[in-house]
Amino acid sequence: MTQISINTTQNVNIVFTAASVGDRILANIVDWLIKIAYFVVLFFMIFRWTGLLDAINKMDDWSGGAIIMIFMLPVAFYTLIFESWLEGQTWGKRLMKIKVVKIDGYQASFPEYLIRWFFRLVDLMIFNGLIAVISVSTSSRSQRLGDMAAGTSVITLKNKINISHTILEEIGTEYVPIYPLVIKLSDNDVRIIKETFNNAVARNDYDTVRKLVDKVEKVTGIRNQSGNHHDFIRTVIKDYNFYTRGA
């Protein structure tokens, strides 16, 4: 599988494994099966059983078409909705254990998901997805055109050591968290924070630690209450573990 080397803004190199073309195709098939199931439920349980289909047939073309279009919106926006809600995953991606991330290693956000969704018209709808297959197979970061435009890639989470395993921190049962806003971070964010921090401490690189604190404060809205950069980062990591360990 293709290895994606990401150099973070703190100059820490992190390597991810790109999702294979096969996994991405299978995830897309699962998503389409979900969409088909929606169509079946929509037609038999809503349109026919409620008599809505007969009512639509009695309407003029514009009115009937407008109602049908409204019911089609969940299918049209399926990928955008679920990638935004599930932090880079649709149900198909979750089943195949693959995920969309930014190429700087941080969690992708709605603008990136929107760009990827828009480019689906080119990547997947034209030539039955052949453009996407060729692009993913030939690009250095296994990106389709939508990924290139959005600055994202799709990685696999099937490693023997899951991303969340690298962020575990020992906290006692009496531990009291300080920063509840750490839940704005993802496992991937905290992994990068922890690796960057540990590398910086090992090199006595205080400037990188300071930049890391600034980045965490900017992303989460947290303000360092300890006055000590090292203690702040350690607390952020512990608080994240506290709030997510039961998730």
Side-chain angles (χ1 to χ4, degrees):
M1 291 186 178
T2 302
Q3 298 294 310
I4 303 175
S5 180
I6 294 174
N7 192 44
T8 71
T9 53
Q10 287 77 32
N11 293 319
V12 175
N13 195 58
I14 298 176
V15 178
F16 295 105
T17 301
S20 68
V21 174
D23 281 347
R24 294 178 71 157
I25 291 174
L26 288 174
N28 196 46
I29 290 174
V30 171
D31 289 332
W32 267 108
L33 290 175
I34 292 173
K35 294 174 187 178
I36 291 171
Y38 171 79
F39 280 128
V40 172
V41 171
L42 181 67
F43 183 75
F44 287 101
M45 297 186 65
I46 299 179
F47 279 11
R48 294 194 65 177
W49 290 1
T50 64
L52 182 59
L53 184 61
D54 292 333
I56 291 175
N57 288 332
K58 295 177 182 178
M59 296 179 183
D60 61 85
D61 291 342
W62 285 102
S63 299
I67 292 176
I68 292 175
M69 285 298 295
I70 291 173
F71 281 102
M72 290 291 292
L73 288 177
V75 173
F77 291 97
Y78 170 89
T79 302
L80 179 61
I81 292 169
F82 282 104
E83 284 188 350
S84 301
W85 179 35
L86 300 177
E87 297 185 337
Q89 293 180 301
T90 59
W91 290 114
K93 287 185 177 70
R94 176 161 287 194
L95 181 65
M96 298 308 301
K97 296 183 179 179
I98 61 178
K99 179 177 182 177
V100 178
V101 296
K102 292 174 65 175
I103 56 175
D104 64 2
Y106 283 93
Q107 178 70 48
S109 57
F110 182 78
E112 287 82 41
Y113 300 137
L114 179 61
I115 293 171
R116 295 184 80 256
W117 173 82
F118 181 78
F119 271 84
R120 288 176 65 86
L121 297 174
V122 177
D123 284 328
L124 302 177
M125 302 304 176
I126 299 177
F127 301 121
N128 295 318
L130 182 61
I131 293 176
V133 171
I134 293 174
S135 177
V136 171
S137 300
T138 57
S139 67
S140 60
R141 287 176 168 169
S142 297
Q143 295 169 294
R144 63 178 177 86
L145 298 182
D147 288 316
M148 295 177 188
T152 59
S153 188
V154 180
I155 63 171
T156 181
L157 304 178
K158 295 178 182 178
N159 301 329
K160 292 182 179 179
I161 299 178
N162 191 278
I163 286 177
S164 61
H165 292 171
T166 66
I167 65 172
L168 294 179
E169 195 76 16
E170 289 293 334
I171 52 176
T173 56
E174 303 299 321
Y175 182 78
V176 178
I178 299 175
Y179 304 115
L181 288 178
V182 294
I183 59 173
K184 289 186 176 182
L185 300 169
S186 67
D187 280 3
N188 196 38
D189 293 335
V190 177
R191 178 193 178 197
I192 293 172
I193 290 169
K194 186 173 182 179
E195 290 188 5
T196 302
F197 177 70
N198 288 339
N199 277 281
V201 170
R203 300 193 309 268
N204 292 320
D205 186 352
Y206 300 109
D207 187 55
T208 294
V209 174
R210 179 184 58 78
K211 291 179 180 178
L212 186 60
V213 170
D214 291 342
K215 182 71 173 180
V216 171
E217 288 183 332
K218 181 179 179 181
V219 170
T220 63
I222 295 171
R223 289 295 172 263
N224 184 359
Q225 297 179 16
S226 69
N228 183 291
H229 291 338
H230 290 68
D231 290 344
F232 173 69
I233 295 298
R234 292 189 182 101
T235 301
V236 165
I237 296 171
K238 287 182 178 180
D239 284 4
Y240 183 84
N241 275 266
F242 177 87
Y243 285 113
T244 62
R245 62 184 176 181

